[in-house]
Amino acid sequence: MSRGFIDIHLHILPGLDDGCVDVEQSVELARGLVELGYDEVHPTPHQKAGSWAPSGDERESAATALRDALEDAGVALRINAPAGENMWDELFLERQVEASFPKYASEKSFLLELHPAQAPPMLEQRLFEFRLAGRLPVLAHVERYLDLTSDFSRVEGLCERAALLVNLAALGGRGGWRVHRRARKLAQAGLIHAATTDAHSPDDLRDAFAGMRWIEKHLGEAALERLLSHNPRRILAGDIP
Ligand SMILES: [Fe+2]
């Protein structure tokens, strides 16, 4: 069943954000991911001013509880050290001073989300500064940033400064027609580095599966391996694929 897939954007840790509500639901999500061919995940609970910002201790203890439950249930999904989905807001800007925002395990890359309607000022320059500091910014669900990604030559520039992720569900046709059409056009233009489930509950896997089918059909089997296995590993290591 394993296809060596690795998910670097999902909300599988129990009780931390608007993702899985308890360990039972997390185990069910993990079981579904294994069925889809995943071996391991890097959880990314929200980090957002005024809503969810679980601390390092809270994230680690949720991960430990889930690992224990998966072992008891015999579900072979590796839960790596939790990262976070950092909204580019005042909390992120505050943490930027000491680079204290949550990062992936290698500390070389970190996940970012933007307000859908408005990109931060001087975005490209800011992203480049992270690269100069030795870190790789990873942009979540770029298909939602309709203004930012309307000009594909601008997206080409972004591709040199950050790793760009797309949600599988959007490729599968979910999330409104503008968003899913943008996701597909970006993927067909080769402007996406990796695809993720962004799963909040087991129900989200149906749409993720639709996205996997779309990739196989329109981009080919090799693209599925590249976007769900090879490239996520490069991103975790801090490289732009
Ligand atoms: Fe997310």
Side-chain angles (χ1 to χ4, degrees):
M1 209 171 299
S2 164
R3 302 179 76 179
F5 296 158
I6 176 167
D7 199 356
I8 60 171
H9 178 190
L10 80 171
H11 302 265
I12 194 171
L13 296 182
L16 294 183
D17 59 6
D18 57 346
C20 292
V21 292
D22 53 27
V23 176
E24 289 69 29
Q25 201 183 34
S26 301
V27 170
E28 204 188 323
L29 173 55
R31 196 173 269 127
L33 286 163
V34 170
E35 279 168 19
L36 288 181
Y38 286 88
D39 292 340
E40 54 178 300
V41 299
H42 289 253
T44 53
H46 286 292
Q47 295 286 317
K48 234 182 215 183
S51 56
W52 307 281
S55 68
D57 285 350
E58 288 169 325
R59 283 178 277 132
E60 200 37 68
S61 73
T64 302
L66 178 54
R67 288 183 197 114
D68 291 347
L70 291 176
E71 200 177 331
D72 291 347
V75 178
L77 184 74
R78 179 169 163 189
I79 309 294
N80 289 286
E85 180 176 14
N86 300 287
M87 172 59 87
W88 194 307
D89 60 12
E90 58 268 36
L91 178 63
F92 177 69
L93 293 177
E94 202 180 289
R95 289 170 163 178
Q96 210 176 310
V97 181
E98 305 275 332
S100 60
F101 45 81
K103 306 164 199 78
Y104 289 113
S106 71
E107 302 262 311
K108 289 181 177 163
S109 48
F110 60 97
L111 184 64
L112 270 173
E113 75 168 318
L114 311 178
H115 286 287
Q118 200 184 6
M122 300 162 75
L123 175 64
E124 281 84 350
Q125 189 179 325
R126 295 279 100 86
L127 295 173
F128 186 60
E129 284 163 6
F130 284 119
R131 297 293 286 149
L132 288 178
R135 289 211 169 84
L136 173 65
V138 182
L139 289 183
H141 36 62
V142 292
E143 69 278 9
R144 291 187 193 170
Y145 314 137
L146 291 168
D147 285 343
L148 182 66
T149 59
S150 61
D151 174 1
F152 278 21
S153 64
R154 187 175 183 188
V155 182
E156 281 166 20
L158 287 171
C159 278
E160 292 167 8
R161 293 165 172 81
L164 308 191
L165 305 184
V166 70
N167 275 5
L168 283 164
L171 292 177
R174 309 308 190 278
W177 70 272
R178 281 192 185 85
V179 168
H180 93 241
R181 195 175 63 171
R182 182 64 52 83
R184 290 173 173 180
K185 290 207 159 163
L186 287 165
Q188 281 169 321
L191 295 172
I192 293 299
H193 294 112
T196 60
T197 69
D198 193 9
H200 286 64
S201 79
D203 292 343
D204 291 338
L205 293 187
R206 238 190 336 256
D207 293 344
F209 181 62
M212 291 164 71
R213 295 291 304 275
W214 184 88
I215 292 173
E216 275 177 326
K217 186 169 174 202
H218 296 273
L219 307 178
E221 185 92 21
L224 197 63
E225 195 279 328
R226 190 170 66 244
L227 295 172
L228 274 69
S229 178
H230 181 81
N231 287 0
R233 286 168 216 279
R234 300 266 322 259
I235 291 168
L236 290 168
D239 299 327
I240 296 183

